[in-house]
Amino acid sequence: MADKETSRVQLAYKLFFHAVREPGVDQILQAAHELFGCPVLFTDEFFRVSSLCPNHATGNEEWDYIVQHKMMDQARILAIMDEFLSGEKPFYKIFYANTGSCAELPRIMGELVREDAVYGHIFVFLGDTPLQDDDFEIVQLLLDAISIKIDSRVRGMSKWNLAMTTKLQDLLTSDTPPHLVDLACDILSKGILGDYAILATPIGPKASQKAFAEYAVSQLQQIYRNVISVIHNRVIVTLIGEVKSHGGPRVLRLDTNSFIQQIFQYFREHDLISGLSNRFSDIREVYPHYRQAELTARLAEETGFQEPAVFMDFMPLPMFSAALQQEDAAVFLHPSLMELKQYDQEHGTEYYETMRVFSLTMHNRDATADQLSIHRNTLLYRLNRISELFDLPYEDRKVGLNILCSYLLMECVEHNNFVTSNAYHWTDPGESQKRPNGKK
């Protein structure tokens, strides 16, 4: 058995040695097909076909799809990655897959990795052919042969783009040394025309999600000019240039920037939620605007927001959302809110919601009555009763601002579950039956 294994590996050395001397990688794949007697596929890092053998349909549904479309089915490959790979590991070793998504067409899979970067993927579709002891060694030889043929530069990304993304990474952390910040700003401002905005698109930890993020970064930079994307802390960060304003120096509206809508939609089609920062003109302001965009994206995801999420439209909720990651809501809430809520539960009134709408409309009585679908006199009666029952001077500016902020905090709590203690029941149970001023 040892002699047979040795001779097979030696044959692989011989075939790959001669194939490497030919132009391209087609001859290498042809040699691998001869060795295994099975279909062999080499794709780029985004699972687009670089070479395959045989180059015709075989009657197998998956292989025939690859031959026809010149790429792997994205849903299938992402399912395979989720099933067989750990999302915490950036790269994987050669492995054999014959269960789950690969049960109908077992295969050997491997990645071509150079300098901690993926350049491509190899697939040997064994099918009914049993896995042999030296198969992994031969696949490694196959990857080595292809590696010789691959240019050392990053595929699909020019040196210019690579330099730009590196400089963008430097601006996405708050502790980058000043001289590196100066260099990054100088290079980015020359390559990306202002004004700017940041789009942040959080991704999950799965291997398939990471693979899609890498694909998306490459695609965005090929499709749109004045756009640079990087993956930073499991977030696709896209710096967008030539952003138009509307109604003010920093007011950004999507109807005047339709290409940003297209980027939003691109990620939405892949079930990813994005957040967009304010518009800015100084490239040095990348970091705070990245934080704006990320907070908006996470808040939109947690609240189930379906429209494109723009920071200015969400303010001040991202600010409260950030605060609630550090403190319990009970630290900030005006005590009357919980008293209003509990009084409503006990008496069937609607004082809590009335004060909420009244606060959010900035004490506009007509707008409040309209939103609550009640008569203006009914609203005035409720406001008077709230003032009497709870000794609540809501017309005082500081009190009114506190109440408004409290409602916004509660909105974050209800959507995000940031609260860590009993914020909804933070009054003493013994005091819960008492009303301010002893009134019912």
Side-chain angles (χ1 to χ4, degrees):
M1 185 68 178
D3 291 338
K4 182 178 179 181
E5 290 179 357
T6 303
S7 62
R8 191 164 178 255
V9 172
Q10 288 177 339
L11 177 60
Y13 270 113
K14 179 180 178 180
L15 290 174
F16 291 147
F17 175 78
H18 289 289
V20 164
R21 302 169 70 177
E22 300 295 328
V25 298
D26 289 347
Q27 292 300 317
I28 300 176
L29 269 288
Q30 177 65 43
H33 175 61
E34 181 179 336
L35 279 165
F36 288 101
C38 305
V40 182
L41 169 68
F42 176 60
T43 75
D44 66 9
E45 61 269 43
F46 305 120
F47 301 99
R48 295 173 298 207
V49 172
S50 296
S51 181
L52 75 169
C53 189
N55 193 14
H56 58 75
T58 63
N60 179 275
E61 180 181 356
E62 183 176 356
W63 181 260
D64 292 351
Y65 177 95
I66 293 170
V67 172
Q68 178 182 358
H69 297 278
K70 301 305 178 186
M71 70 178 300
M72 301 195 71
D73 179 83
Q74 290 295 309
R76 184 185 294 272
I77 194 62
L78 294 181
I80 292 172
M81 295 180 75
D82 282 345
E83 184 174 356
F84 291 98
L85 309 182
S86 169
E88 299 303 320
K89 296 180 179 179
F91 310 120
Y92 58 92
K93 297 180 179 179
I94 298 168
F95 68 96
Y96 177 62
N98 65 340
T99 60
S101 303
C102 301
E104 294 184 3
L105 186 59
R107 69 206 63 190
I108 302 173
M109 297 176 59
E111 276 187 336
L112 177 60
V113 180
R114 298 179 61 180
E115 299 179 353
D116 291 335
V118 177
Y119 283 74
H121 307 266
I122 197 74
F123 300 83
V124 180
F125 293 93
L126 293 178
D128 296 332
T129 303
L131 181 69
Q132 299 187 43
D133 293 339
D134 55 0
D135 279 348
F136 282 12
E137 184 177 358
I138 294 174
V139 170
Q140 185 58 61
L141 291 175
L142 170 60
L143 288 169
D144 292 342
I146 295 174
S147 179
I148 295 173
K149 303 296 295 185
I150 300 298
D151 186 76
S152 60
R153 68 182 179 86
V154 177
R155 290 168 57 88
M157 182 179 291
S158 67
K159 291 181 179 179
W160 179 85
N161 270 340
L162 182 59
M164 297 289 279
T165 55
T166 301
K167 299 312 173 188
L168 179 55
Q169 286 279 16
D170 288 341
L171 297 184
L172 291 175
T173 57
S174 59
D175 56 355
T176 300
H179 70 284
L180 293 181
V181 171
D182 292 340
L183 178 61
C185 291
D186 181 60
I187 292 176
L188 285 172
S189 61
K190 290 178 180 177
I192 303 293
L193 302 178
D195 291 321
Y196 311 101
I198 295 289
L199 189 78
T201 310
I203 58 175
K206 293 183 179 179
S208 60
Q209 294 167 321
K210 292 182 178 180
F212 169 75
E214 293 173 0
Y215 174 74
V217 164
S218 173
Q219 287 291 99
L220 289 175
Q221 294 174 164
Q222 293 180 35
I223 296 172
Y224 301 101
R225 67 184 185 91
N226 255 349
V227 165
I228 289 292
S229 285
V230 296
I231 302 172
H232 178 75
N233 293 338
R234 291 184 180 172
V235 177
I236 302 172
V237 182
T238 305
L239 172 64
I240 304 171
E242 292 187 303
V243 175
K244 299 177 182 178
S245 64
H246 179 77
R250 292 201 172 212
V251 179
L252 192 159
R253 290 291 179 264
L254 296 181
D255 55 0
T256 58
N257 296 272
S258 60
F259 73 101
I260 300 181
Q261 285 184 316
Q262 296 172 17
I263 300 175
F264 264 112
Q265 184 60 28
Y266 173 77
F267 286 120
R268 168 64 71 180
E269 290 173 353
H270 293 85
D271 298 322
L272 294 176
I273 304 299
S274 303
L276 186 66
S277 74
N278 286 340
R279 172 178 163 269
F280 60 102
S281 57
D282 186 349
I283 197 69
R284 292 179 178 274
E285 297 179 0
V286 160
Y287 178 73
H289 287 85
Y290 154 65
R291 294 295 299 139
Q292 286 183 355
E294 184 186 11
L295 283 170
T296 304
R298 297 196 184 282
L299 189 58
E301 183 177 20
E302 289 157 357
T303 57
F305 191 73
Q306 297 299 312
E307 300 299 321
V310 181
F311 178 77
M312 187 58 73
D313 293 339
F314 267 67
M315 273 296 288
L317 291 183
M319 180 174 64
F320 294 132
S321 178
L324 290 175
Q325 294 180 36
Q326 306 297 324
E327 295 284 354
D328 192 304
V331 173
F332 306 106
L333 294 181
H334 192 285
S336 294
L337 261 67
M338 295 302 100
E339 295 172 350
L340 284 167
K341 184 179 280 288
Q342 186 163 346
Y343 188 87
D344 285 345
Q345 293 173 350
E346 295 173 358
H347 299 85
T349 51
E350 299 180 17
Y351 295 154
Y352 180 88
E353 179 64 10
T354 298
M355 183 53 63
R356 186 187 75 84
V357 177
F358 186 61
S359 299
L360 294 176
T361 61
M362 308 301 291
H363 294 196
N364 186 315
R365 288 168 171 75
D366 291 333
T368 302
D370 183 61
Q371 288 192 33
L372 293 173
S373 299
I374 60 176
H375 194 277
R376 194 174 190 275
N377 290 340
T378 303
L379 171 64
L380 296 178
Y381 170 78
R382 290 183 183 180
L383 292 175
N384 288 334
R385 287 292 291 162
I386 290 171
S387 180
E388 293 174 359
L389 289 171
F390 303 96
D391 192 22
L392 183 60
Y394 53 79
E395 293 292 5
D396 180 89
R397 285 189 300 174
K398 289 186 178 180
V399 174
L401 180 59
N402 192 334
I403 294 172
L404 173 60
C405 291
S406 296
Y407 273 111
L408 292 172
L409 280 165
M410 291 304 296
E411 186 173 333
C412 286
V413 169
E414 290 165 0
H415 286 305
N416 304 332
N417 296 317
F418 280 131
V419 66
T420 56
S421 66
N422 297 324
Y424 282 98
H425 306 283
W426 62 306
T427 52
D428 184 353
E431 298 292 324
S432 62
Q433 301 301 319
K434 298 178 181 179
R435 294 293 98 205
N437 299 331
K439 300 176 182 178
K440 296 291 185 181

